[in-house]
Amino acid sequence: MSERYISVNGEIIQANSLCIPASDLAIQRGYGIFDFLVTVNGKPIFFEDHINRFYLSAEAMHLPVLLNKLSLIEAIEQLMQENSLPNSGIRITLTGGDSPDGYSIGNPNLIISQSPFNYPKQVLENGLQLITHEHQRQLPTIKTIDYLKAIYLQPTIKAAGADDVLYFFNGKVTECPRANFFIVTELNEVLTPKDNILHGVTRKHVLNLKGYTIKEANISLEMLASAKEAFISSSTKNILPVTAINGNGIGDGKPGPITRNLYNQLVQLKGISF
């Protein structure tokens, strides 16, 4: 395989030659942001949404971006051309920058990387099992690089025989570490938590799918027991059904018809074929 390239502060370099100073706040304090998007047949999916969210996260974290939006898009397109990976994941990372005292924001480093990615086939039948955990992410509306709790919980998730964790706080369900969460109620309404979450790009488009009442709402832990269906959404997972939470089955324990319909609408919107 030929050498892969990355973009660092607007310059294309070989991926294995990346050098970030140890004094960068991303290393010193885990301070930084990122966004992640998928390309299918050379086309970035929901490109503008991801770019806009990246700049909103940067502004919220007081991090200046070296490139404006047009220049950033050009840098991503140049990287795609260099790597020639039509089906891929692209990560845009903005670090806290080289800090003189390990605490003050420096000049951020803008790193764009690309790796092969293909949506897995026939994943809809493989329902996910989740466990719940009380936790509220810091700065939840910002896509930061802080995944401390999610990584810390990996042994717990594995020991429970689950696939992922679903956060809740003060009795209200929020999100999974890398995905948004939805339930289908007994009235066939599709609900997703509205507060203290990351507003996912895929979530935004699911909210606009047709045929059902799909809306933001507070979801209590108690509502999980009566949910007919549940699913998660993300850029890399599209829509995946949740068939059990804390060992308790959701609905009949199988992917439901509304989840299937929304999945089909979403992959069609993205232009994905299997």
Side-chain angles (χ1 to χ4, degrees):
M1 179 178 177
S2 60
E3 178 62 49
R4 197 171 302 148
Y5 294 93
I6 61 174
S7 174
V8 180
N9 299 325
E11 179 183 356
I12 299 291
I13 64 172
Q14 291 186 338
N16 61 8
S17 63
L18 173 64
C19 182
I20 296 296
S23 55
D24 194 298
L25 280 184
I27 298 173
Q28 290 287 322
R29 308 289 180 184
Y31 196 88
I33 64 158
F34 80 103
D35 218 295
F36 186 90
L37 60 104
V38 171
T39 69
V40 176
N41 295 325
K43 177 185 176 183
I45 304 299
F46 303 147
F47 201 7
E48 185 176 352
D49 291 322
H50 286 284
I51 295 298
N52 288 339
R53 186 175 63 178
F54 175 77
Y55 279 93
L56 287 173
S57 292
E59 181 180 8
M61 290 282 278
H62 316 297
L63 293 173
V65 184
L66 177 68
L67 304 179
N68 60 31
K69 287 186 181 181
L70 180 59
S71 297
L72 177 60
I73 290 171
E74 290 175 348
I76 292 171
E77 290 174 342
Q78 182 183 6
L79 183 66
M80 291 173 60
Q81 187 174 21
E82 291 287 344
N83 283 324
S84 189
L85 290 172
N87 299 321
S88 72
I90 295 178
R91 178 179 169 122
I92 315 165
T93 304
L94 190 66
T95 73
D98 188 6
S99 177
D101 56 7
Y103 208 67
S104 304
I105 294 174
N107 293 318
N109 287 293
L110 176 62
I111 304 164
I112 310 169
S113 56
Q114 185 180 25
S115 56
F117 176 81
N118 286 285
Y119 284 109
K121 298 179 180 179
Q122 298 178 333
V123 296
L124 194 62
E125 301 305 322
N126 303 324
L128 299 175
Q129 297 195 41
L130 305 180
I131 59 171
T132 58
H133 183 85
E134 185 158 19
H135 174 64
Q136 178 58 64
R137 290 192 307 109
Q138 293 190 83
L139 307 172
T141 61
I142 305 171
K143 197 165 178 65
T144 73
I145 62 174
D146 176 13
Y147 280 70
L148 187 150
K149 177 63 75 170
I151 296 171
Y152 172 80
L153 287 173
Q154 289 304 298
T156 304
I157 296 167
K158 184 177 180 180
D163 299 293
D164 208 344
V165 62
L166 174 63
Y167 294 144
F168 70 94
F169 193 70
N170 289 337
K172 295 179 181 178
V173 173
T174 54
E175 60 192 349
C176 295
R178 296 178 295 171
N180 290 114
F181 179 76
F182 294 76
I183 64 169
V184 179
T185 71
E186 293 174 309
L187 299 177
N188 288 340
E189 288 186 324
V190 182
L191 307 181
T192 187
K194 67 175 184 177
D195 297 322
N196 299 315
I197 62 161
L198 181 72
H199 292 89
V201 168
T202 302
R203 173 185 181 272
K204 169 187 171 181
H205 289 274
V206 171
L207 282 166
N208 291 322
L209 295 178
K210 306 300 182 183
Y212 308 97
T213 298
I214 309 175
K215 62 184 182 180
E216 300 172 305
N218 290 324
I219 299 175
S220 67
L221 281 171
E222 290 74 22
M223 292 171 68
L224 299 179
S226 61
K228 293 175 62 176
E229 302 177 34
F231 61 89
I232 63 169
S233 72
S234 78
S235 294
T236 57
K237 299 176 179 67
N238 292 319
I239 284 175
L240 285 182
V242 174
T243 54
I245 299 177
N246 294 330
N248 300 312
I250 299 294
D252 63 2
K254 299 178 181 179
I258 293 178
T259 299
R260 291 175 183 275
N261 184 282
L262 294 175
Y263 169 85
N264 290 331
Q265 287 190 58
L266 181 65
V267 296
Q268 184 176 6
L269 179 64
K270 285 186 168 185
I272 303 169
S273 59
F274 297 108

